[in-house]
Amino acid sequence: MHTLADPPLWSANTIIATVMRAARGLGLALPAMRKIFGHMNADKEKAKVFRGYEPAEHDVFVATFPKSGTNWMMQMTTQIAWRGEAEFEHIHQLAAWPEAHFWGITPLRDPGPWQQSAAGRRAIKTAMEADFVPYSEHATYISVIRDPKDVFVSGYHFIFGIFNLFDDISLDQWLDLFMTPDFPAGQWAVHTAGFWAWRDRPNVRVLCFPEIKEDLPGTVDLVAEAMKVSLTTAERARVIERCSFSYMKHNERRFAPPQMLFTPKRATMVRAGKVGGSGDLLDRQQQARIDQHIMSELQRLGSDFPYAEKFDVITAD
């Protein structure tokens, strides 16, 4: 297993895991999560990530809100860059993730991944808002927007699985936090509004998760075109096959999150990939609360993202 998925004992992961174990024992899991991620998501920290970096033609920014199909799009852009032949122990050997501080991630300024790829391209993963992502007409930008109700459910299973929080933080507490700027992943509406505003730029593609699920081959064509990569019929078929849910699920270890100390079971990265499955965890009132909050926030931000057209809006009983 790669060092990102199985970090050494002396890594920063051990410090975080130890702090969280102590916080859980003291009944302070939620404040600890807010403190840890609050520091990581502070504007001054995000402003440092790409400081001094000039995007180039080989850069393909996968700019998605967490749990919105990020690994799916990293796999797609990477396989397109390698013409369906990308092999790796972990995706982050080839895809940079500059705001993360885990071991085993290829550095932003490492030319290896794009120089070695058949098409001279490489993916850069970022979950930061558009204001913190450097724009250049020479680079490519792909953003995936997923129903925030599905995002919330996927994120709940993921982050609670990483830190083993299911008995320490209630679903309602986590939902309350989701409605605030302190949510560990940031604010869905702010992220969406920012990249939606970029959608008409020629080197930007803003895709919705249900559309990718409905037409994977068509999405591969759209992304390859944005990347200025022409695939042969055989190459296209290999990319599509390697971007299928079954392939990625079977190769879960290649996308696995870090195994945290004191957590008995590794969190699942490629879990279900469903559209409209939030009702498996949330009741209608909770779903409606998310919808109303997000639509209100989009309006406050002045965004014209067509929320009600893209996602099923739930009304409370």
Side-chain angles (χ1 to χ4, degrees):
M1 187 69 80
H2 190 254
T3 54
L4 189 153
D6 281 315
L9 187 61
W10 54 88
S11 69
N13 300 63
T14 298
I15 299 173
I16 296 174
T18 303
V19 169
M20 284 306 303
R21 185 185 189 189
R24 290 174 56 216
L26 295 170
L28 299 173
L30 187 59
M33 291 290 289
R34 296 179 69 147
K35 184 69 173 179
I36 292 171
F37 286 97
H39 171 74
M40 294 167 56
N41 291 330
D43 286 357
K44 66 178 182 179
E45 295 300 319
K46 290 187 285 189
K48 298 176 184 177
V49 173
F50 288 106
R51 183 175 294 167
Y53 186 75
E54 293 292 333
E57 185 177 11
H58 55 252
D59 292 329
V60 183
F61 287 82
V62 177
T64 68
F65 192 80
K67 308 312 296 178
S68 297
T70 312
N71 279 274
W72 199 6
M73 192 50 62
M74 277 199 299
Q75 169 74 338
M76 190 179 298
T77 53
T78 299
Q79 291 298 338
I80 289 171
W82 288 75
R83 301 189 179 280
E85 299 285 358
E87 296 291 346
F88 45 83
E89 191 176 359
H90 196 282
I91 185 68
H92 282 299
Q93 289 176 277
L94 299 180
W97 185 10
E99 66 253 42
H101 302 289
F102 302 120
W103 286 44
I105 299 175
T106 186
L108 175 65
R109 290 172 169 80
D110 182 355
W114 67 265
Q115 289 180 345
Q116 295 165 16
S117 72
R121 301 286 189 276
R122 59 85 180 261
I124 301 173
K125 170 185 172 178
T126 180
M128 296 194 301
E129 300 89 340
D131 287 348
F132 298 99
V133 177
Y135 176 78
S136 169
E137 63 182 13
H138 302 295
T140 303
Y141 299 81
I142 312 292
S143 187
V144 179
I145 301 176
R146 188 181 189 185
D147 187 327
K149 300 186 294 297
D150 293 346
V151 167
F152 176 85
V153 170
S154 181
Y156 170 83
H157 288 292
F158 181 69
I159 200 73
F160 277 44
I162 285 181
F163 292 106
N164 196 24
L165 298 173
F166 294 101
D167 295 327
D168 301 288
I169 301 174
S170 72
L171 179 62
D172 284 333
Q173 286 177 313
W174 198 242
L175 182 55
D176 287 343
L177 187 58
F178 185 71
M179 306 295 182
T180 75
D182 296 330
F183 188 67
Q187 299 178 80
W188 187 97
V190 173
H191 192 283
T192 297
F195 285 102
W196 182 250
W198 289 18
R199 70 191 182 280
D200 292 329
R201 299 179 184 185
N203 58 333
V204 176
R205 296 293 183 276
V206 179
L207 309 171
C208 284
F209 191 93
E211 297 163 359
I212 302 174
K213 288 287 291 185
E214 183 177 343
D215 186 9
L216 178 58
T219 301
V220 168
D221 293 339
L222 285 172
V223 174
E225 179 185 29
M227 293 172 60
K228 300 178 183 177
V229 177
S230 179
L231 299 172
T232 67
T233 300
E235 290 167 350
R236 178 178 181 267
R238 284 198 299 271
V239 172
I240 293 169
E241 193 276 327
R242 291 190 171 199
C243 292
S244 67
F245 179 80
S246 59
Y247 180 92
M248 292 186 65
K249 186 68 175 177
H250 180 72
N251 289 275
E252 160 80 22
R253 62 184 177 84
R254 301 179 188 269
F255 309 94
Q259 172 66 58
M260 302 299 287
L261 196 65
F262 311 122
T263 300
K265 184 179 179 182
R266 186 189 304 278
T268 301
M269 181 65 81
V270 185
R271 190 180 64 89
K274 294 169 63 176
V275 172
S278 62
D280 294 345
L281 178 69
L282 303 173
D283 61 32
R284 289 188 64 86
Q285 185 175 0
Q286 292 167 326
Q287 291 174 302
R289 185 183 173 197
I290 292 175
D291 282 333
Q292 292 305 311
H293 169 74
I294 295 297
M295 289 190 292
S296 176
E297 283 295 287
L298 289 171
Q299 183 177 23
R300 181 184 66 81
L301 293 166
S303 175
D304 61 352
F305 177 72
Y307 186 88
E309 295 177 20
K310 298 295 185 180
F311 309 123
D312 291 332
V313 176
I314 305 298
T315 55
D317 294 331

